Amino acid sequence: QVQLAESGGGSVQAGGSLRLSCAASTGTPNNYAMGWFRQAPGKEREFVASVSGTLGITKYQDSVKGRFTISKDNSLNTCYLQMDSLKIEDTAVYYCAADPYYVGPDRYLEFWGQGALVTVSS
């Protein structure tokens, strides 16, 4: 059973930075695709970014392009989301997800983390 553990959430002022981490449990194949979704209060969960397991191909939601960077360390089986130039509208619970093939908004994903709260204030 794949388990994902997120860390790194917190509060920051607009324009600041945070880095989220998502560690996959021991035994998870290190070629899994991983990614991040977020859910703001009163809104649907939305795709943020993903990285493929083997080639490291990345995809981003348009609103975070140029500000967020996703990466994956296969040796640690950990995915990171570096968030820079944060905006108030980035406030949400961020969830990590993993899949043997790919992570995207149109795919049913079985493995999820518990969520990490990111709060951006003015």
Side-chain angles (χ1 to χ4, degrees):
Q1 180 72 12
V2 174
Q3 294 183 322
L4 304 173
E6 298 130 334
S7 60
S11 298
V12 65
Q13 288 192 319
S17 298
L18 281 174
R19 188 176 82 153
L20 300 178
S21 299
C22 174
S25 53
T26 302
T28 302
N30 65 4
N31 62 349
Y32 270 32
M34 297 182 77
W36 296 89
F37 289 70
R38 66 185 181 186
Q39 187 166 20
K43 294 188 176 182
E44 298 282 321
R45 186 178 298 189
E46 64 177 3
F47 171 79
V48 176
S50 66
V51 56
S52 67
T54 302
L55 298 179
I57 296 171
T58 58
K59 293 185 178 180
Y60 296 92
Q61 182 201 107
D62 285 348
S63 70
V64 307
K65 284 180 181 176
R67 301 188 298 121
F68 290 11
T69 303
I70 189 170
S71 61
K72 186 172 182 282
D73 186 331
N74 285 342
S75 66
L76 297 176
N77 221 352
T78 298
C79 179
Y80 304 97
L81 185 68
Q82 177 66 40
M83 304 183 291
D84 298 319
S85 302
L86 281 161
K87 303 177 180 180
I88 292 174
E89 53 264 41
D90 293 319
T91 296
V93 177
Y94 285 70
Y95 296 91
C96 176
D99 187 87
Y101 303 104
Y102 86 94
V103 171
D106 56 344
R107 181 166 177 82
Y108 171 77
L109 298 167
E110 182 178 358
F111 306 118
W112 292 91
Q114 78 285 357
L117 177 62
V118 171
T119 304
V120 184
S121 60
S122 60

